[in-house]
Amino acid sequence: MRENPVEAKKHIGFLPQKPPLYSDFTVDEYLVYCARLRHVDAKKIRAAVDYAKEKCGITHFSKRLICNLSGGYQQRVGIAQAIVHNPMFVVLDEPTNGLDPNQIVEIRQLIKEIATDHAVMLSTHILPEVQATCDEINMIEHGNVVFSGTIRDFNNYMAPSTFIAIFENPPQVEELKNIANVLKVEKLTATRFRFHFDGNDHTMTRRVTEIAVEKGWRPSEIVLERDSLDTVFAQLSGKGIKID
């Protein structure tokens, strides 16, 4: 980018948060125009446009005015213009913004398909989108990278600090609270409890199981709970909320 920015930009496709669509153009007119802007060879424009339309599932709307398309299909046209010149690197900024749930699922799948042929960077503040779409994550807070790794690394970054336990013959909540390193116990149902504990205590669930068996509480299930992406982000950015 520094040595030859013009040449580098030829290999980048970009979809801003609000797609730069011309609503009075047909899909074909718009994509041909975008291909020309990207300096696609005149002899290859038709093939480039057909490739982008097929990839984005909009071939059957070739002659349709963009203003007459649904929000989901307008977003597809926006993604098509980002790949019409077959770039190596595609940047998508909030690609599911303003879409309904069904359209969001379709666009997520489209992004995954595009990622088989292009390197794709998804820029978003909606963490569930990251979890549903991405393989790797770089988290930036105030210009600083606070996390870089795979989604699995991200999910495992914070040690679990809660678990759900089901006892067929449960004791009083106060007795559960007296177990070492238990910070808090929530009674969810007559037999279901959420334990909050020190995440550094890796023997917590085993110890609770052993105590439950010893005291005849008849444990039937104990499951660790992972923090949500939003919670992990809050902790990484120093905005986590401590349990009282």
Side-chain angles (χ1 to χ4, degrees):
M1 284 293 292
R2 291 180 177 177
E3 294 177 3
N4 196 339
V6 174
E7 182 64 26
K9 290 175 183 177
K10 291 179 182 179
H11 302 286
I12 299 174
F14 177 52
L15 172 71
Q17 183 170 345
K18 185 176 181 180
L21 304 178
Y22 294 139
S23 60
D24 55 344
F25 279 25
T26 66
V27 170
D28 266 5
E29 289 171 341
Y30 175 69
L31 292 178
V32 167
Y33 172 69
C34 291
R36 288 173 176 166
L37 285 180
R38 301 299 179 88
H39 301 287
V40 175
D41 187 290
K43 296 178 181 179
K44 298 180 179 179
I45 286 180
R46 176 47 54 190
V49 168
D50 288 345
Y51 162 79
K53 288 191 299 183
E54 182 178 357
K55 197 72 174 176
C56 295
I58 53 176
T59 300
H60 53 305
F61 289 135
S62 297
K63 305 304 179 183
R64 183 79 62 88
L65 289 176
I66 291 175
C67 63
N68 292 331
L69 298 178
S70 68
Y73 276 101
Q74 287 189 10
Q75 197 75 334
R76 286 172 178 262
V77 175
I79 294 174
Q81 65 80 28
I83 64 171
V84 71
H85 55 305
N86 196 25
M88 293 187 293
F89 183 46
V90 181
V91 181
L92 306 176
D93 184 12
E94 301 289 3
T96 60
N97 185 49
L99 303 183
D100 65 38
N102 289 332
Q103 292 170 336
I104 288 174
V105 171
E106 292 173 356
I107 294 299
R108 285 175 179 171
Q109 184 58 40
L110 173 58
I111 293 170
K112 291 179 180 179
E113 291 173 3
I114 291 173
T116 61
D117 299 319
H118 309 265
V120 177
M121 183 174 76
L122 174 66
S123 174
T124 181
H125 69 283
I126 304 173
L127 294 179
E129 285 301 303
V130 177
Q131 193 170 36
T133 310
C134 300
D135 297 319
E136 298 183 11
I137 179 172
N138 286 279
M139 184 174 291
I140 299 173
E141 173 74 4
H142 296 303
N144 297 311
V145 176
V146 295
F147 181 86
S148 179
T150 66
I151 287 295
R152 170 175 279 189
D153 291 337
F154 186 75
N155 288 339
N156 293 334
Y157 185 83
M158 293 294 179
S161 59
T162 62
F163 64 86
I164 299 294
I166 297 177
F167 304 120
E168 299 304 323
N169 182 35
Q172 295 297 313
V173 172
E174 291 304 319
E175 188 172 357
L176 297 176
K177 290 180 179 178
N178 290 331
I179 298 174
N181 289 340
V182 170
L183 306 178
K184 179 180 178 181
V185 177
E186 300 174 67
K187 186 173 182 179
L188 305 178
T189 67
T191 60
R192 183 181 172 92
F193 302 83
R194 174 178 284 116
F195 286 73
H196 297 261
F197 66 102
D198 182 347
N200 295 317
D201 186 346
H202 303 300
T203 65
M204 192 73 222
T205 54
R206 186 180 65 199
R207 188 164 66 254
V208 169
T209 301
E210 291 172 349
I211 293 172
V213 171
E214 179 185 338
K215 297 198 173 186
W217 297 341
R218 296 170 58 196
S220 61
E221 184 176 353
I222 293 182
V223 181
L224 285 169
E225 291 186 302
R226 295 287 179 185
D227 285 330
S228 67
L229 284 173
D230 302 85
T231 301
V232 176
F233 175 74
Q235 293 172 330
L236 284 169
S237 59
K239 298 177 182 176
I241 300 174
K242 294 182 179 180
I243 300 170
D244 294 329

